[in-house]
Amino acid sequence: MYKYNEDDQRIVEERAAQFRNQVKRRLSGELKEDEFRILRLQNGLYLQIHAYMLRVAVPYGLLSSEQFRMLAHIATKYDRGYGHMTTRQNIQFNWPALEDVPNILDDLASVQMHAIQTSGNCIRNISSDQFAGVARDEVVDPRPYAEIMRQWSSFHPEFAFLPRKFKYAFTGASEDRAAIKFHDIGYRAVMNEAGEVGFMVYVGGGMGRTPMIGKLINEFVPEADLLIYTEAIMRVYNQFGRRDNKYKARIKILVHELKVEEFTSRVEEEFAALNNEGAVPLDRAEVERVSAYFTDPDYDDLPENNAALEQQLLDNKDFSFWYKQNVLDHKKPGYAIVNLSLKSPGVPPGDITDVQMLMVANLADQYSFGELRSTHEQNLVFADVKKDDLFDLWQALKELGFAEPNIGTLQDMICCPGLDFCTLANARSIPIADQITRRFDDMDYLYDLGELKLKMSGCINACGHHHVGHIGILGVNKKGVEYYQITLGGDATDDAAVGKILGRAFPEDEIVQAIEDILKIFIDIRDQGERFIDTYRRVGAEPFKIIYEEFSLKGAGL
Amino acid sequence: MKIIKDKAIVEDSWVHYHGEGEMPDGNVIVSLKVWQETDLSGRRIGLQLEPDQHPKDISDDLDNFELIAINFPTFHDGRGYSYAKILRDRFGYVGEIRAVGDVMRDQLYYLQRCGFTAYEIKAGKDINDAIKGFDDFSVKYQVSSDENLPLYRR
């Protein structure tokens, strides 16, 4: 993974010092809260219901074991012994004291980490395919470009006070695992016939209260133009994005209001002008410098088939379930990609304790070249595990509680912190997630359901990505009472779609039953082996609406 | 009034006039409306742009202005950063570009990187503290008005 040079290191250290000064000025009263708020948000520091919350950047989801140990240390020393993996591959701490945050930043800087631009109306931490570099379907490794973009966007002087937050995602594989069409800008790295790298650029995707699918505005931005083209998009947005209404301030609204043709022509015009003014193209040499940090680790040459593993799979049914559900093919023969499930009954999705972090760091050292990844589905990944080691690793993960064989199933839901923590939320989400995990705990049933993306948000801001859940749950509030709306048919992948509201919202004590009823209908009408999303696309919402009749009309009438 | 100019604290030699009351004597910074509607002959003129007044609308008139002030009614409205860049890079404006309004220490590093050269620090903030904001970072990744080459080529 990327290693900071002196300059990179100095920037994070100077950032920590700058923020220390800002905190000091806040505590002395020199900075008013409405001034400090903008500054602290640009450093990922929110004021939540109970306490401050600090969001630490995990650039494109890549972590070393050393970094993960430091996160464990922070959880122990400054928090209540746990952290929370977010839906943008970052990690949040829910209980730091304001006075401690500068010290946390120093600790982070000591392991080449930071909280720069993890919130605020600026370019946020960049997310990426969690299987970058090891996926079999990868065309171009997006990580070097994500790192170059991380550097370019860090303290970019022109774009620190945008109309609204701004999120980039990268993929370089044929399957989109980074939801690039639901980002402000999504980049798909591709290769042309001459073997040159370029980017398909999607603009104006997003969730929130107005979900939209990103529009392809350029099919091939050459590597050399990546930053200039991005600058052109950002400048058009910074000047013309709406600032009169924060709910209409995202770039998706600008693209929508201008129409994509006009938006694109403004970007092209700005791009031409920037080139005319002597903009500096991205150097091939710089791409090569950064790419050198993302070469393959020291793999052994191993046969693809492993007789011992085959035998273990035959001998142990639980191991074989886990293998089938949580382990993926690796580009290198004899290796595998292992998903660590952070979804188990009784634990909020994505939560991990300090002790678990330390154990995971040790396992990463032992089994996966000392690295791990975070995923936007709030799980962790060991990207480079020898097939020989899988059985031992599985046993270790079972003890940690991270071997639930539920990746991609209904239990692998993503979920925002909800009203238990968040000032924006209308309803709790974690307790509903817990009810669902407990209700649907029969693995045979879950496997029979097949791939099913359930995503839940506690409010319309959609941090839990409910719009792109095959089944989405949205918390709403009616006269002080929490209700839950169901959407069906969302999809974050290449077949991007925004889920549609099924009907009235359900109260807390009915929502899980409603989900169960939907699944019963699905099982009745699905074709053999069909995924929920495919059934939905085939038959539409109508057959599922019958649940309202059977619910004796107890719904809220929303 | 003291302002920061070329990274030093100096006495300001300009006064603002945005159309209310009598126009003061001396070098005057005026709003677009005043400039369009008032006889300003014989004076040195600065023009103040609001966030919804784009520099392209005055690009043919830049020779008239010894300075251009860009107003930040709130510091989280960042349009002025792009305006300064465009004034410098696109229209070749070489006069003073001054940040006015909700301007304090924490923006100076960004502002100077975008081509601003003067700053009216908002009331209630210590200008001697504010000037330290230029030094928040000693390393910068990007090309900008103050830097012709990206970090990796320096």
Side-chain angles (χ1 to χ4, degrees), chain A residues 132-359:
Chain A
V134 294
R136 284 195 175 171
D137 66 340
E138 186 164 277
V139 182
V140 178
D141 185 346
R143 293 172 300 173
Y145 300 99
E147 173 57 29
I148 286 167
M149 197 62 99
R150 181 192 75 81
Q151 298 185 12
W152 176 83
S153 62
S154 293
F155 306 115
H156 194 295
E158 191 178 339
F159 307 126
F161 302 99
L162 297 167
R164 199 75 180 85
K165 58 189 170 181
F166 210 97
K167 299 172 180 177
Y168 298 164
F170 276 83
T171 184
S174 56
E175 182 189 341
D176 174 13
R177 287 173 287 261
I180 62 166
K181 291 179 191 170
F182 287 96
H183 281 74
D184 295 283
I185 305 181
Y187 301 89
R188 182 191 285 278
V190 292
M191 205 172 269
N192 68 12
E193 285 174 359
E196 296 155 339
V197 172
F199 297 86
M200 295 170 78
V201 175
Y202 293 84
V203 177
M207 300 197 224
R209 65 184 64 211
T210 318
M212 289 192 190
I213 296 167
K215 313 286 188 298
L216 181 63
I217 67 161
N218 196 314
E219 289 191 13
F220 194 84
V221 174
E223 172 189 282
D225 293 339
L226 174 64
L227 300 181
I228 307 174
Y229 199 81
T230 301
E231 186 174 346
I233 295 169
M234 299 312 297
R235 185 175 280 175
V236 168
Y237 173 58
N238 191 40
Q239 294 177 93
F240 305 112
R242 286 181 62 172
R243 291 175 188 264
D244 59 325
N245 179 343
K246 78 178 229 184
Y247 300 119
K248 298 191 171 178
R250 295 287 290 272
I251 196 172
K252 62 191 172 189
I253 304 292
L254 180 65
V255 174
H256 178 74
E257 289 183 352
L258 287 179
K259 307 277 183 283
V260 66
E261 296 76 17
E262 169 63 17
F263 175 82
T264 307
S265 87
R266 288 197 197 186
V267 169
E268 295 291 340
E269 195 180 318
E270 188 61 43
F271 177 67
L274 285 167
N275 279 312
N276 195 35
E277 291 155 17
V280 183
L282 176 58
D283 252 325
R284 185 64 223 168
E286 172 64 359
V287 176
E288 283 168 7
R289 178 186 79 86
V290 176
S291 297
Y293 290 102
F294 297 98
T295 51
D296 284 346
D298 203 4
Y299 292 129
D300 289 339
D301 284 322
L302 299 168
E304 176 62 9
N305 292 317
N306 184 309
L309 173 64
E310 296 305 323
Q311 194 57 47
Q312 286 157 342
L313 290 168
L314 284 174
D315 291 347
N316 192 316
K317 198 173 165 213
D318 287 345
F319 177 59
S320 74
F321 281 147
W322 175 79
Y323 179 80
K324 181 161 176 270
Q325 209 62 38
N326 292 20
V327 179
L328 294 169
D329 290 338
H330 193 287
K331 68 175 186 183
K332 180 75 182 170
Y335 282 82
I337 302 167
V338 174
N339 284 289
L340 282 60
S341 171
L342 270 56
K343 317 290 170 64
S344 57
V347 182
D351 272 15
I352 179 168
T353 69
D354 48 1
V355 174
Q356 286 173 321
M357 287 187 224
L358 290 174
M359 301 292 285

Side-chain angles (χ1 to χ4, degrees), chain A residues 53-72:
Chain A
M53 181 275 278
L54 179 68
R55 183 180 295 150
V56 174
V58 182
Y60 37 93
L62 213 51
L63 285 158
S64 70
S65 55
E66 185 199 12
Q67 290 174 329
F68 217 49
R69 284 191 188 93
M70 181 54 79
L71 296 173

